[in-house]
Amino acid sequence: MTIKLYCFGESGNAYKAALTLELSGLDWEPVFVDFFHGESRSPEFRELNPMGEVPVMIDGDVTLSQSGVIQDYVSSKSGKLGGRSANERREILRWQFWDNHKMSSVAGPTRFLMNFIPEDKRPVEVIAFNQGRLNAAYKVLEGELSKRDWLVGDTITLADISCCGYLFYPEPFGFDRTEWPAIDAWLTRISDTPGWKHPYDLMPGSPADRA
Amino acid sequence: MTIKLYCFGESGNAYKAALTLELSGLDWEPVFVDFFHGESRSPEFRELNPMGEVPVMIDGDVTLSQSGVIQDYVSSKSGKLGGRSANERREILRWQFWDNHKMSSVAGPTRFLMNFIPEDKRPVEVIAFNQGRLNAAYKVLEGELSKRDWLVGDTITLADISCCGYLFYPEPFGFDRTEWPAIDAWLTRISDTPGWKHPYDLMPGSPADRA
């Protein structure tokens, strides 16, 4: 049975799940959620996910939200991208939590505020505060990636896919990869991985569709 | 061997790990980290955890940070608090990610800004924005807890311990449990659980020590 992923192109969180599915080799297809017209907050969508957010994955009788859990499920099912030992698996989960806690949870709203609401409504103090938090996160990531090619072990894992979730997007949110050489080289390693796709090529919906 | 948890009383993220350890029945002891004098961001502490944050758990040759992973480790080791089926385990992980992504990652900084920096330095726009996000999170939690006693299954799990991380603290950050009856009743169920302790009784360090 084909796994369905409810998603839209602009969502870095959905991208983490979509890229994990794509690189796992499992059979999957995206289902477009019209976030910019409120679909993910509609009563119908909340039947699927009371948290009112994408991504949502459906595989037979398993329905899951939260990209980290979907990643974990896809890795368990495919036997790929999940590390090679108990220690690696814990380290992967650690980076997934760190990303969700310290990076994506700040990058997502900041990118939204800087790109997807009217310019005169942008809360400049919030954006500046968030960018300060993001810089602290980039610094941690840069430091770790200066020591090794991949976050955990010697190949791409869920940890890398989680942490890169927002970093390939072209819209500005206070991240310029040329300022972070180790992150920059790592992003190139990720995009050189066979099967890799850019978020706007992997999922339906992009700013171009709404222009 | 006694598990060591590097922590301090004010950290809701450390509380999630500490309460999990306490309720698991494993042998553990807290190690005080002097966050308010910069210890968690010192070079020495970054040797222990390059992410520069508490909690950090050390159990023999296993060193872990990120409360969600520590919870997972403690649950695996003790066989407690982790759900009774693969489906429950995935649901627990989903709530842990949701908490880290949508609730604790906002509650922690907001509580910090409202209580632990000088009053004339508080960024009011950031606080108001964050409180809006937190209210959306409380609404999701209230909705789910209106349907059942515990977030996953029929007893307390890591999911409940994660999501309650900041909600027992007395310092204001835009949460008043009397406004959320289902959350309020659930917090009472948690604090009625045998072995439960308030964060300031479970970990060293509290605002009273610095008064």
Side-chain angles (χ1 to χ4, degrees):
Chain A
M1 194 182 313
T2 302
I3 296 172
K4 288 189 195 309
L5 186 74
Y6 288 75
C7 61
F8 59 95
E10 289 91 341
S11 167
N13 291 314
Y15 181 55
K16 298 174 204 175
L19 187 58
T20 302
L21 281 161
E22 188 72 10
L23 296 181
S24 76
L26 295 182
D27 189 25
W28 76 285
E29 65 184 21
V31 179
F32 178 61
V33 177
D34 196 353
F35 172 83
F36 289 94
H37 288 99
E39 186 179 342
S40 61
R41 295 175 301 283
S42 67
E44 294 75 19
F45 191 85
R46 282 193 194 265
E47 287 283 309
L48 194 64
N49 178 16
M51 293 164 181
E53 61 199 10
V54 300
V56 174
M57 185 211 74
I58 300 185
D59 183 22
D61 59 0
V62 175
T63 299
L64 287 176
S65 74
Q66 283 293 322
S67 62
V69 186
I70 297 172
Q71 286 194 297
D72 188 68
Y73 177 87
V74 169
S75 171
S76 294
K77 180 161 178 156
S78 66
K80 290 183 182 164
L81 303 165
R84 293 180 177 133
S85 64
N87 181 50
E88 282 192 13
R89 281 190 287 279
R90 283 193 296 266
E91 280 297 298
I92 288 170
L93 188 61
R94 178 171 168 250
W95 279 103
Q96 288 177 285
F97 270 113
W98 178 82
D99 166 54
N100 277 270
H101 201 153
K102 292 289 166 75
M103 199 159 70
S104 292
S105 58
V106 187
T110 307
R111 175 161 156 273
F112 182 84
L113 295 174
M114 287 178 68
N115 296 277
F116 302 136
I117 62 173
E119 201 162 338
D120 61 351
K121 295 225 160 52
R122 291 178 195 161
V124 291
E125 188 179 293
V126 175
I127 290 169
F129 179 80
N130 284 358
Q131 289 188 338
R133 294 192 69 200
L134 284 171
N135 266 309
Y138 304 147
K139 206 170 156 185
V140 167
L141 197 60
E142 177 76 11
E144 294 303 287
L145 290 168
S146 302
K147 301 180 208 161
R148 57 190 182 274
D149 282 356
W150 303 99
L151 287 172
V152 180
D154 57 6
T155 186
I156 189 169
T157 68
L158 304 181
D160 306 290
I161 297 173
S162 187
C163 289
C164 80
Y166 280 91
L167 305 183
F168 286 113
Y169 283 98
E171 300 84 17
F173 60 95
F175 172 72
D176 177 352
R177 61 191 276 183
T178 66
E179 291 172 10
W180 306 94
I183 296 176
D184 184 50
W186 167 75
L187 288 173
T188 300
R189 280 189 290 278
I190 293 174
S191 61
D192 282 348
T193 301
W196 178 86
K197 286 183 182 166
H198 188 278
Y200 292 142
D201 297 324
L202 191 57
M203 299 180 290
S206 78
D209 298 333
R210 291 177 284 112
Chain B
M1 194 182 314
T2 301
I3 296 173
K4 287 189 195 310
L5 186 75
Y6 288 75
C7 61
F8 58 94
E10 290 90 342
S11 168
N13 291 312
Y15 180 54
K16 299 174 203 175
L19 187 57
T20 302
L21 281 161
E22 188 71 11
L23 296 183
S24 76
L26 295 181
D27 189 25
W28 76 285
E29 64 184 20
V31 180
F32 178 61
V33 177
D34 196 354
F35 173 83
F36 289 94
H37 288 97
E39 186 179 343
S40 61
R41 295 174 302 282
S42 68
E44 295 75 19
F45 190 84
R46 283 193 195 267
E47 287 284 309
L48 193 66
N49 178 16
M51 294 165 181
E53 61 199 10
V54 300
V56 174
M57 184 211 74
I58 300 185
D59 183 23
D61 59 0
V62 175
T63 299
L64 287 176
S65 74
Q66 285 292 322
S67 61
V69 186
I70 298 172
Q71 285 194 300
D72 189 66
Y73 177 86
V74 169
S75 170
S76 295
K77 181 161 178 158
S78 65
K80 291 184 182 163
L81 303 165
R84 292 181 177 133
S85 64
N87 182 50
E88 282 193 11
R89 281 190 288 277
R90 282 194 297 266
E91 281 296 300
I92 288 169
L93 189 60
R94 178 170 169 252
W95 279 104
Q96 288 177 286
F97 270 112
W98 178 83
D99 166 54
N100 278 270
H101 201 155
K102 293 289 165 73
M103 199 160 68
S104 291
S105 57
V106 187
T110 307
R111 174 160 156 273
F112 183 83
L113 295 174
M114 288 177 68
N115 295 278
F116 302 138
I117 62 172
E119 201 163 339
D120 61 352
K121 295 227 161 50
R122 290 178 197 162
V124 291
E125 188 179 292
V126 175
I127 290 169
F129 179 81
N130 283 359
Q131 289 188 337
R133 294 192 70 202
L134 283 171
N135 266 309
Y138 304 147
K139 207 172 156 183
V140 167
L141 198 60
E142 177 76 13
E144 294 303 287
L145 290 169
S146 301
K147 300 179 209 160
R148 56 190 183 275
D149 281 356
W150 303 99
L151 288 171
V152 180
D154 57 6
T155 185
I156 189 170
T157 68
L158 304 180
D160 305 290
I161 297 173
S162 186
C163 289
C164 80
Y166 280 92
L167 305 183
F168 286 113
Y169 283 98
E171 300 84 17
F173 60 96
F175 172 72
D176 177 351
R177 60 189 278 183
T178 65
E179 291 172 10
W180 306 94
I183 296 177
D184 183 51
W186 166 76
L187 289 173
T188 299
R189 280 189 289 279
I190 294 173
S191 62
D192 281 348
T193 300
W196 178 87
K197 286 184 183 164
H198 187 278
Y200 292 141
D201 297 325
L202 190 57
M203 300 181 289
S206 78
D209 298 333
R210 290 177 285 113

